[in-house]
Amino acid sequence: MPESTRIVAPGLSDGTVRTADGQILHAPADWQLLPPGDAALTRRVKAAGPTWTVQQKKGRKTFSQGVWAPAERIAAIRADLAAERATDAHAKRRAAETTRRERKQTEYVEDFRGAVLAFLDFAPRYASLAEQLADTVTQHATPVGSGTVARTQRIPIEQRAESAVIAWLRHRTTAYDNMKIARVRGKRREVRRMLAEQSRRLLETYRAGRTAEPACPLQQALMM
């Protein structure tokens, strides 16, 4: 029903959606699908009245496919928002927000790199190698929108750093990316655990200050 706000899934054809109980609904003729991408516009459209939010689940992630709402409402709010964004006050606010985000990102990158170094805890003779590895993992894991474990807020930064190092080692020092893993429930997790232990043993060589093998996969990966 158009008067009800709903969370729905994409339908089988254009202009249709599927409810949680499997019911197929046709969008009203005077409604329009607002595509994702403009968070402020989407928030205002949803706050102004009933909408159908289209979401699609892929694996464990849910992706927005847009919001159905009256076309006139979308057009009016889009025009109001465009007028606001054209003002000097808005430009100054955006510049201040950008500066704040950049400062926050810089601080986080520094904190994350420090957490990586603390996890590595290499012996003094391998200090430069630890610095190089910390730089490499940090550059890979911390960009905004990268989707890596370093960007999650659900676990402490120390755990994020550890997970990021182990993930980098898995992809760069093992054959994981070329493995043919049986499509059996839990098998991939089992393989990742096995490779994580292999990576931890590799790190122990440098923590203990032992002489590394000439063909050490870590050093080879850092030279690539």
Side-chain angles (χ1 to χ4, degrees):
M1 310 305 142
E3 66 273 13
S4 302
T5 291
R6 296 173 176 269
I7 304 293
V8 296
L12 298 177
S13 59
D14 292 343
T16 66
V17 298
R18 189 178 71 256
T19 64
D21 59 4
Q23 181 183 4
I24 300 297
L25 301 179
H26 291 265
D30 61 343
W31 280 32
Q32 176 185 353
L33 181 63
L34 173 64
D38 189 329
L41 177 57
T42 298
R43 282 196 302 271
R44 294 190 186 191
V45 167
K46 293 172 74 171
T51 56
W52 293 352
T53 299
V54 186
Q55 296 180 344
Q56 188 169 31
K57 192 167 185 179
K58 294 182 179 179
R60 290 183 293 178
K61 295 185 177 181
T62 299
F63 297 90
S64 171
Q65 301 294 313
V67 175
W68 281 99
E72 287 188 4
R73 184 200 307 168
I74 294 174
I77 295 175
R78 180 181 278 121
D80 289 343
L81 195 53
E84 286 181 26
R85 288 170 170 169
T87 64
D88 289 341
H90 178 78
K92 290 178 181 178
R93 187 165 60 251
R94 285 295 302 273
E97 290 173 355
T98 298
T99 300
R100 179 186 58 79
R101 285 196 300 269
E102 290 175 348
R103 182 172 61 249
K104 184 178 180 181
Q105 170 66 2
T106 298
E107 292 172 352
Y108 178 66
V109 169
E110 292 175 353
D111 291 345
F112 184 83
R113 185 180 183 279
V116 170
L117 279 173
F119 168 68
L120 293 177
D121 191 27
F122 284 2
R125 68 180 292 196
Y126 290 120
S128 61
L129 188 70
E131 296 280 349
Q132 185 181 357
L133 180 54
D135 285 340
T136 301
V137 172
T138 300
Q139 290 168 11
H140 169 76
T142 57
V144 176
S146 61
T148 67
V149 68
R151 300 308 315 181
T152 184
Q153 299 297 314
R154 296 193 301 270
I155 57 177
I157 191 171
E158 294 80 8
Q159 191 175 341
R160 285 175 244 161
E162 177 180 351
S163 297
V165 170
I166 296 301
W168 188 89
L169 290 172
R170 179 173 65 247
H171 290 290
R172 300 298 298 274
T173 67
T174 77
Y176 177 75
D177 290 343
N178 297 316
M179 284 182 174
K180 296 191 180 301
I181 302 174
R183 301 177 71 87
V184 178
R185 184 178 180 84
K187 186 62 177 178
R188 183 168 294 274
R189 189 177 298 111
E190 177 186 337
V191 169
R192 287 164 69 117
R193 279 199 299 266
M194 176 191 70
L195 294 178
E197 288 306 311
Q198 178 179 319
S199 295
R200 292 177 193 282
R201 288 195 297 271
L202 176 61
L203 294 176
E204 280 303 320
T205 295
Y206 296 95
R207 288 172 177 153
R210 295 192 293 269
T211 300
E213 298 177 2
C216 172
L218 172 56
Q219 297 191 36
Q220 289 185 334
L222 289 173
M223 288 189 296
M224 296 175 65

